[in-house]
């Protein structure tokens, strides 16, 4: 009982959170078809994640990924990289993307290590002469997936779908409210 009393004096209840410097382990399940994306040619990708984060990563054939790390920062960095390589986009969902190329016909935006096309006609309801006038490489932006051709590996994006249509605010405020609710869901 004396030992329990001493322990209780030191810490009477479990901590809400684990110390950020405590070793960690996290398990996620990925699509087994995405295992190759995490491993990379000759193990190049996974070795890069391990070198950069200091975490240890084990991948099983069924898609189970176990990440071991010495601290929370290392675990989170490795987990983010694995998720970015394996997350799958869905039509109708909104994502944060990074512009990685601007052409006369639109822009290429990267989401979870996948590049999608934001066609000039999907940038805005207003006429745009050239995508170069409103977009730059390395711009962060919200985009909606409007079409996904998995067989051809093509993703079609829109920012126009995130804006109210011209005149909606003046003619029908309920449309704007419904659109905002739809985007939030």
């Amino acid at each position: 009982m004396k030992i329990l009393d001493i322990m209780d004096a030191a810490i009477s209840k479990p901590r809400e959170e684990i110390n950020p410097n405590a070793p960690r382990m996290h398990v996620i399940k990925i699509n087994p078809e995405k295992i190759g994306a995490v491993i990379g040619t000759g193990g190049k990708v996974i070795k890069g994640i391990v070198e950069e984060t200091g975490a240890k990563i084990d991948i099983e054939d069924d898609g189970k990924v176990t990440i071991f790390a010495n601290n929370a920062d290392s675990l989170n960095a490795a987990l983010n990289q694995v998720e970015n390589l394996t997350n799958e986009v869905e039509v109708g969902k909104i994502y944060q993307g990074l512009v990685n190329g601007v052409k006369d016909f639109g822009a290429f935006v990267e989401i979870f290590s996948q590049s999608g096309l934001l066609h000039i006609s999907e940038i805005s309801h207003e006429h745009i002469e050239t995508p170069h006038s409103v977009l730059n490489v390395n711009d962060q932006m919200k985009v909606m997936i409007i079409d996904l051709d998995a067989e051809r590996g093509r993703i079609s994006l829109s920012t126009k779908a995130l804006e109210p249509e011209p005149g909606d605010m003046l003619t029908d405020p309920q449309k704007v409210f419904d659109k905002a609710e739809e985007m939030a869901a």
Side-chain angles (χ1 to χ4, degrees):
M1 290 306 291
K2 183 176 182 177
I3 293 172
L4 290 175
D5 289 338
I6 293 170
M7 288 173 56
D8 192 41
I11 182 168
S12 60
K13 64 178 183 165
R15 291 186 176 96
E16 297 285 326
E17 293 182 22
I18 298 173
N19 184 322
N21 296 317
R24 315 246 173 158
M25 179 185 89
H26 189 80
V27 178
I28 61 171
K29 184 84 168 166
I30 65 170
N31 181 342
E33 293 177 7
K34 300 273 187 163
I35 292 172
V38 177
I39 294 173
T41 307
K44 184 177 178 182
V45 174
I46 196 167
K47 286 177 187 173
I49 296 171
V50 168
E51 277 182 33
E52 187 178 321
T53 65
K56 182 180 182 298
I57 302 171
D58 289 334
I59 302 175
E60 296 180 18
D61 292 339
D62 66 351
K64 179 180 170 186
V65 179
T66 307
I67 303 172
F68 303 92
N70 289 332
N71 57 53
D73 290 340
S74 176
L75 178 95
N76 291 333
L79 182 61
N80 285 339
Q81 288 192 38
V82 170
E83 286 178 339
N84 284 339
L85 291 167
T86 60
N87 280 342
E88 297 181 22
V89 295
E90 295 178 41
V91 173
K93 295 269 184 162
I94 300 168
Y95 299 95
Q96 185 72 26
L98 176 71
V99 176
N100 59 12
V102 181
K103 304 290 182 194
D104 291 337
F105 55 85
F108 293 99
V109 180
E110 186 175 315
I111 305 165
F112 301 134
S113 301
Q114 300 175 56
S115 193
L117 175 63
L118 175 60
H119 191 268
I120 189 169
S121 65
E122 289 296 331
I123 294 173
S124 177
H125 290 290
E126 296 178 15
H127 176 71
I128 295 175
E129 289 292 325
T130 173
H132 297 280
S133 65
V134 292
L135 297 171
N136 296 303
V137 173
N138 293 325
D139 283 352
Q140 293 275 338
M141 62 189 313
K142 288 192 183 293
V143 292
M144 178 185 279
I145 308 289
I146 57 172
D147 192 29
L148 186 59
D149 184 349
E151 286 181 19
R152 297 172 78 185
R154 293 187 180 172
I155 302 171
S156 297
L157 307 170
S158 177
T159 53
K160 180 170 78 171
L162 303 176
E163 302 173 353
E165 292 189 34
D168 276 354
M169 295 287 271
L170 301 173
T171 59
D172 191 357
Q174 185 62 42
K175 274 187 177 178
V176 176
F177 180 76
D178 291 344
K179 181 85 169 178
E181 276 191 335
E182 177 184 311
M183 289 188 305

